[in-house]
Structures are given as C-alpha cells and as structure tokens.
Amino acid sequence: MMKVIVDLAIVPIGVGVSLSKYVAACERVLTEAGLQPQLHANGTNVEGDWEVVFAALKRCHEILHEMGVPRISTNIRLGTRVDRIQSMQDKIISVEAQLGLE
Amino acid sequence: MMKVIVDLAIVPIGVGVSLSKYVAACERVLTEAGLQPQLHANGTNVEGDWEVVFAALKRCHEILHEMGVPRISTNIRLGTRVDRIQSMQDKIISVEAQLGLE
Amino acid sequence: MMKVIVDLAIVPIGVGVSLSKYVAACERVLTEAGLQPQLHANGTNVEGDWEVVFAALKRCHEILHEMGVPRISTNIRLGTRVDRIQSMQDKIISVEAQLGLE
Amino acid sequence: MMKVIVDLAIVPIGVGVSLSKYVAACERVLTEAGLQPQLHANGTNVEGDWEVVFAALKRCHEILHEMGVPRISTNIRLGTRVDRIQSMQDKIISVEAQLGLE
C-alpha cells in the first residue's frame, strides 16, 4: 500500500461559469469512497491509499461526464513520502509551528 | 485593477525533506504584503490585486533563495473572472450550498 | 475505457538539485507501459487509457522511492473529453491553425 | 533580475469546449512580449525575466477577458534557481543524456 496526499482541482469545460454543482458531485464521490475530503477555495484535499484515491478521482470524471460535462481539465498535486508517516493535518501543524516561532 | 484568487504551492529543492520553514517564510511575506493567506494541506490561498499578489510571490522566491534554497519549483492555480465579484469564501459557500441541497 | 491526456511534472525532494536521473527513470517506466511520453521543458505529456496511464504513474513513484527518493511532489494536468476524440497532436495542430489564421 | 522558466496552461471557462483560439491569442501576447513560447500538448513553456514573463501572463488574462471570456482558470509551473544558469533546452538535454546512458 502506498499512501498519497492529493489536492484536486477539477474544472468542467463547456457547461458555463457556475461550477459548484460539479465540485459538490465530486465531493460526494470522494466521501462515498471512504475518504474525508477537505474543501478549500481552490481545490479539495484528500489523503489515503493510492488505489482508493485514484479510483475515486476516475469516478469523479465519469460522474461529471454523466452529468453532461463534455470536457474536464483537472489539476492535481500529489505527494508521497517513505521517510516518515505524515498526515495532511501534520503538514499544517508543521508550518503553524514555524510561524509560532517568530 | 484585476483581482485574482491564487493557490500557491512552493517546493524548495536541494534543502532536504523538511520544508515547513520555507512555507512559513512565504506566509510571512504574503501577510506583510497585506494579504490574508489561508494555509491548507497542499498550498496557500490568497486573493487580491494582481500586482500585489504577484509582487509577493516574487518576494517569496527571493526570500527563499536568500535563505539558501538553490532551486524552487512552484505550482500556482490562478483564477480571474469579470462576470461577477467572487471571494474565496464565496467559492466555498457555493459548493457547501450544493452539498446541503442533497 | 476512458482516454486521458496527462502532463506529469515529478519533483523528487531530498536528493539535491539534479533531478534529470529521476525524470529519465519515469520516462522509461512510461515507455515500458506502452505509452509514448513526450518530454518537454517542464514535464512529460502522455495519452492513453486511464488505467494504463495511472498505473504507470504509480510505478514512477514506486521506482523513484526504490532509487532512494524519500519524498516526491508531483503536479499533474489531466484532461478527459467525451464530445469528440482528440489526440495530443490534434491539440497542438488546433492552436497552430489559429496562429496561421492571423 | 530573476530569471524564470514557466509552463502556462490557461483554461477559459464559459466559452464552450473549443479553446484553441484563446490559447493562440496568449501565444501572440507572449511573442509580442519578446518571449519565445514553446507550445506543447498541455501548455506553453516560456523563459525570461520574471517581470517580463508575468507582465505577459497578466496581459493574456486581460486579452482573453476582452475577447469575451468571463472566467479563466490558469495553472502555472514556475521554476527559479540560483545555483546555476539553466535554459529550457538544457533541462531537456539533461534528461535525454540520462536516457542515452542506459
């Protein structure tokens, strides 16, 4: 098993400028996959097993196309590490600890 | 003036695997520029005037190089829109409203 | 089967500033998967079946970790469309045709 | 002066699925700025002085909005380094040299 931390930004193309319906549909897919998506202003963060995360991402694309989206452009940031175990929360805490040191 | 919403992920290269010190330094640069950075697990969101945001991003690169980082790889998601005014908070609220509609 | 066009930028962290060895290792993984990677200055483009492409990407991360890379940050641009069939070459030709129309 | 190597992927939103016209418009902006854009299947690579490159990127967003695009989502990969001078061509040659070593 390889753990990943992923930041997804899915941009549906050809369905106008209001995209929140599609972002919400993908959030539901991620949650139904057993993941705990963390929505932010420019994407959604998830962490979990590589296979689970990427199967859910594929399902997001499939669902959006089923909803009538003709074209999708997705940007993903993807991190893996083998030197130590690190959660998304750990990453935030590390930076905040540095900020507190000032 | 053109408003932008930006998601920055700065990856210092050549300084080992612990990067939080550098992310924190950039957070400070953004704050000192009068922006209100919102740290998340895979980047930092900011919104503001194009010139202010990109001057701060340039300053982040300069500061990190001054701190001894030989090479930096940054990924940016950048949104502009002219059809209406939208804040980062508005974006999150739109998706959450969709999720609440289920 | 869902076809994808993907642009991969893999950044190994914690192994110094010379990354070409690792990019080359991933190129080989992609080629061995039957894909035809197109290297450019800031990443590698591939197209093919979703499952094949993402299995190869996972293998890239595994191989790099086996080579001693403790941490990897990858950025992916990923496109799918169902309105028509489009290759990577088609995308370039479309833009060049527009440039020729001036 | 700080040199940057940038990979731009501009996604116009709300103008349908055919985007080549807009990509071409941005190519022209980059060329008129004195840059030598290198189009690839998933974006455009440019290198040059930070100020020149980002002024051109801003102009791309302005021009596209003037062309009627209501919303734009851009993904940028951006590299700076101070340990040595490296061109986009150097980056490709480094990887190809590694591939030739097999």
Side-chain angles (χ1 to χ4, degrees):
Chain A
M1 191 200 115
M2 181 162 53
K3 192 202 159 181
V4 287
I5 294 180
V6 169
D7 187 348
L8 300 175
I10 296 188
V11 180
I13 299 171
V15 287
V17 294
S18 294
L19 307 180
S20 59
K21 177 171 66 172
Y22 305 104
V23 176
C26 183
E27 294 288 301
R28 286 192 286 267
V29 166
L30 296 168
T31 301
E32 285 162 12
L35 301 165
Q36 296 178 293
Q38 298 185 0
L39 180 69
H40 62 86
N42 293 293
T44 298
N45 294 322
V46 284
E47 61 190 331
D49 175 53
W50 181 292
E51 296 298 336
V52 174
V53 169
F54 280 96
L57 173 64
K58 187 183 179 191
R59 189 78 193 115
C60 286
H61 273 246
E62 288 171 342
I63 287 273
L64 264 57
H65 286 311
E66 288 166 17
M67 288 170 74
V69 180
R71 185 177 183 179
I72 304 169
S73 176
T74 293
N75 179 251
I76 305 169
R77 294 174 188 154
L78 158 60
T80 59
R81 64 190 305 177
V82 294
D83 57 330
R84 65 183 185 93
I85 296 170
Q86 186 186 42
S87 69
M88 298 198 297
Q89 190 57 27
D90 292 335
K91 291 180 73 177
I92 292 173
I93 289 168
S94 293
V95 177
E96 289 180 342
Q98 290 288 340
L99 289 168
L101 289 176
E102 283 160 52
Chain B
M1 190 201 117
M2 180 161 57
K3 192 200 160 183
V4 288
I5 294 181
V6 169
D7 187 348
L8 301 175
I10 296 188
V11 181
I13 299 171
V15 286
V17 295
S18 295
L19 307 180
S20 58
K21 177 172 64 171
Y22 306 103
V23 176
C26 183
E27 294 290 300
R28 287 192 286 266
V29 167
L30 295 168
T31 301
E32 285 162 13
L35 301 166
Q36 297 178 293
Q38 298 185 0
L39 180 70
H40 62 86
N42 293 293
T44 298
N45 294 322
V46 284
E47 62 190 332
D49 174 54
W50 181 292
E51 296 299 336
V52 174
V53 169
F54 280 97
L57 172 63
K58 186 183 180 191
R59 189 78 193 117
C60 286
H61 273 247
E62 289 170 343
I63 287 273
L64 264 57
H65 286 311
E66 287 165 16
M67 288 171 72
V69 180
R71 185 177 184 181
I72 304 169
S73 177
T74 293
N75 179 253
I76 305 168
R77 296 172 187 155
L78 158 60
T80 59
R81 63 191 305 177
V82 294
D83 57 331
R84 66 184 183 90
I85 295 170
Q86 185 185 42
S87 69
M88 298 199 297
Q89 191 58 27
D90 292 335
K91 292 182 73 176
I92 292 173
I93 289 169
S94 292
V95 176
E96 289 180 342
Q98 289 287 340
L99 288 167
L101 289 177
E102 283 160 52
Chain C
M1 190 200 118
M2 181 161 56
K3 193 201 158 182
V4 287
I5 295 181
V6 169
D7 188 348
L8 300 175
I10 296 188
V11 181
I13 299 171
V15 287
V17 294
S18 295
L19 306 179
S20 59
K21 177 171 66 172
Y22 305 103
V23 176
C26 182
E27 294 290 300
R28 286 193 286 267
V29 167
L30 296 168
T31 302
E32 285 162 13
L35 301 166
Q36 297 178 293
Q38 297 185 1
L39 180 70
H40 63 85
N42 292 293
T44 297
N45 295 321
V46 285
E47 62 190 332
D49 175 55
W50 181 292
E51 296 298 337
V52 174
V53 169
F54 280 96
L57 173 63
K58 185 183 180 191
R59 189 76 193 117
C60 286
H61 273 246
E62 288 170 343
I63 287 273
L64 264 57
H65 285 312
E66 287 166 16
M67 289 170 73
V69 180
R71 184 175 185 182
I72 304 169
S73 176
T74 293
N75 179 251
I76 304 168
R77 295 173 186 155
L78 158 60
T80 58
R81 62 191 306 177
V82 295
D83 57 331
R84 66 184 184 92
I85 295 170
Q86 186 186 42
S87 69
M88 297 197 299
Q89 190 57 28
D90 292 336
K91 292 181 73 177
I92 292 173
I93 289 168
S94 292
V95 177
E96 288 180 343
Q98 291 286 341
L99 288 168
L101 289 176
E102 282 160 51
Chain D
M1 192 201 115
M2 181 161 57
K3 192 201 158 184
V4 287
I5 295 181
V6 169
D7 187 347
L8 300 176
I10 296 188
V11 181
I13 299 171
V15 288
V17 294
S18 295
L19 307 180
S20 58
K21 177 171 64 171
Y22 305 103
V23 176
C26 182
E27 294 289 299
R28 285 193 286 267
V29 167
L30 295 168
T31 301
E32 284 162 13
L35 302 165
Q36 297 179 294
Q38 298 186 0
L39 180 69
H40 63 86
N42 293 295
T44 297
N45 294 322
V46 285
E47 61 190 331
D49 174 54
W50 181 292
E51 295 299 336
V52 174
V53 169
F54 280 95
L57 173 63
K58 186 183 180 191
R59 189 75 193 119
C60 286
H61 273 246
E62 289 170 343
I63 287 272
L64 264 57
H65 286 311
E66 287 166 16
M67 290 171 71
V69 180
R71 184 176 184 180
I72 304 169
S73 177
T74 293
N75 178 253
I76 304 169
R77 295 173 187 155
L78 157 61
T80 58
R81 64 191 305 176
V82 293
D83 56 332
R84 66 186 184 91
I85 296 170
Q86 186 186 42
S87 69
M88 297 198 299
Q89 190 58 28
D90 292 335
K91 292 181 72 176
I92 292 174
I93 288 169
S94 292
V95 177
E96 288 180 342
Q98 291 287 341
L99 288 167
L101 288 178
E102 281 161 50

